[in-house]
């Protein structure tokens, strides 16, 4: 499966600390092999993956591509984005 970033996803990823980027990269490689785990509720058309206790990865699956929407370093950033859909 191919991995692509949205503009916002790439920007988020590049802002992360180097050590956190490694965690995100490892999770992306794992997701490219394994099917999605958790789909978001409230009509949000994306999947989410916990990268660390705080960090979250929001992505879509499009045919044979894993499309990264956002990378959040903290749960607070993720919650703020998630609540914008409610």
């Amino acid at each position: 499966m191919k991995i692509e970033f949205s503009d916002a996803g790439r920007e988020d990823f590049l802002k992360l600390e180097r050590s956190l980027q490694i965690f995100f990269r490892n999770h992306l490689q794992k997701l490219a092999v394994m099917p999605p785990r958790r789909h978001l509720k409230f009509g949000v058309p994306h999947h989410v993956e916990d990268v660390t206790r705080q960090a979250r990865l929001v992505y879509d699956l499009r045919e044979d591509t894993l499309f990264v929407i956002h990378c959040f370093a903290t749960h607070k950033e993720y919650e703020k984005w998630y609540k914008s859909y409610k």
Side-chain angles (χ1 to χ4, degrees):
M1 185 175 282
K2 193 166 70 169
I3 300 170
E4 290 185 14
F5 285 84
S6 68
D7 292 337
R10 184 178 319 285
E11 187 177 316
D12 292 343
F13 182 78
L14 294 174
K15 287 182 183 177
L16 297 172
E17 294 178 11
R18 181 79 173 132
S19 60
L20 201 50
Q21 284 181 354
I22 294 169
F23 279 111
F24 273 88
R25 229 181 271 135
N26 290 340
H27 265 74
L28 287 169
Q29 291 172 352
K30 182 172 70 172
L31 286 172
V33 175
M34 298 172 66
R37 300 176 199 264
R38 189 171 75 194
H39 198 278
L40 293 172
K41 298 178 184 177
F42 302 111
V44 181
H46 308 299
H47 293 84
V48 65
E49 176 75 14
D50 298 345
V51 176
T52 66
R53 209 177 102 167
Q54 291 286 319
R56 303 289 186 272
L57 174 67
V58 179
Y59 62 96
D60 281 336
L61 294 173
R62 301 177 182 172
E63 296 174 13
D64 66 338
T65 303
L66 184 120
F67 193 72
V68 177
I69 306 297
H70 282 288
C71 300
F72 297 104
T74 65
H75 186 69
K76 188 174 183 178
E77 294 171 359
Y78 165 73
E79 282 293 319
K80 183 179 177 183
W81 172 84
Y82 182 67
K83 287 181 180 181
S84 70
Y85 278 96
K86 290 184 181 181

